[in-house]
Amino acid sequence: MTEGTISVMVVDDHPIWRDGVARDLSENGFDVRATAADGPAAVRIARTVRPSVVLMDLNLGTTSGVEATREITTALPETKVLVLSASGEHSDVLEAVKAGASGYLMKSASVVELVDAVRRTAAGDPVFTAGLAGLVLGEYRRMADAPEGGTEPPRLTERETDVLRFVAKGLTARQIAERLVLSHRTVENHVQSTLRKLQLHNRVELARYAIEHGLDED
């Protein structure tokens, strides 16, 4: 997927910030389809323009970016939400992820970091500002501490497990291909095969599964 094909919507209640982010993305080749100033407008407009990625602020005045995230990801499963927030509070990060956000980026990020984060989010990769990824990993590991019902996990090949381990570490398919000396297509095939075996839907869920099973650890 090239940047020119990635459509985005920017949601923020501060017009100067909102317009600035939209301008930065447009100048870097993204298709900025819409902006919104509050949660209800974001949900309504997203249903119409169906962007690939929604950049979502959490503090939208009287409305909640978390609830807007939940509604958008429920109504539009193909649309990814990347939170762009000034808050690094652990509770905010975890609530956003639980609501369906694919990633969480601090507003202190540079334009280069923002562009890379939007591109990776559109590709299905979980993206987090440094320091926040560990928080999310720890939470999913804690949630997985209590085993369910003793069902036997699906059997993955050694190569599928290798790929899954790198997915958990946040590497892109191309980076994984370089690490394992495989073609990009072969890595994608392993990812799709693993998704089918685990009955998961996307790379974000795949990363969560890997984290829950400790595959992000060396």
Side-chain angles (χ1 to χ4, degrees), residues 26-207:
S26 292
E27 290 176 351
N28 280 277
F30 294 94
D31 173 17
V32 180
R33 291 190 176 175
T35 62
D38 58 56
V43 175
R44 184 177 66 254
I45 295 171
R47 287 175 179 269
T48 300
V49 302
R50 295 179 173 270
S52 300
V53 178
V54 174
L55 272 78
M56 178 72 70
D57 188 18
L58 292 185
N59 185 3
L60 298 175
T62 59
T63 59
S64 166
V66 168
E67 184 55 36
T69 295
R70 182 177 293 108
E71 291 189 38
I72 290 172
T73 55
T74 299
L76 304 170
E78 297 303 314
T79 295
K80 308 293 192 302
V81 174
L82 173 63
V83 170
L84 186 60
S85 176
S87 170
E89 291 294 325
H90 291 183
S91 59
D92 288 338
V93 179
L94 295 176
E95 283 301 311
V97 173
K98 290 175 183 177
S102 296
Y104 198 106
L105 196 67
M106 298 294 293
K107 284 187 173 181
S108 56
S110 67
V111 174
V112 172
E113 291 170 328
L114 174 64
V115 167
D116 179 65
V118 174
R119 185 171 59 244
R120 291 185 60 193
T121 299
D125 295 328
V127 179
F128 293 92
T129 291
L132 298 183
L135 166 68
V136 178
L137 306 187
E139 174 68 6
Y140 278 103
R141 189 174 293 116
R142 183 191 66 76
M143 291 168 60
D145 280 345
E148 297 181 8
T151 57
E152 186 173 344
R155 293 184 179 277
L156 301 180
T157 68
E158 183 177 350
R159 186 59 82 191
E160 287 169 345
T161 302
D162 289 339
V163 170
L164 186 55
R165 183 172 288 109
F166 283 122
V167 168
K169 294 177 181 295
L171 273 66
T172 65
R174 293 193 182 281
Q175 290 171 328
I176 295 171
E178 291 175 2
R179 295 287 185 91
L180 297 179
V181 195
L182 299 171
S183 70
H184 177 263
R185 175 169 294 185
T186 298
V187 170
E188 288 289 358
N189 288 341
H190 284 311
V191 169
Q192 293 305 315
S193 174
T194 304
L195 286 171
R196 286 193 299 272
K197 287 184 178 181
L198 301 178
Q199 298 183 342
L200 301 176
H201 301 94
N202 53 52
R203 285 187 181 86
V204 175
E205 292 183 3
L206 198 61

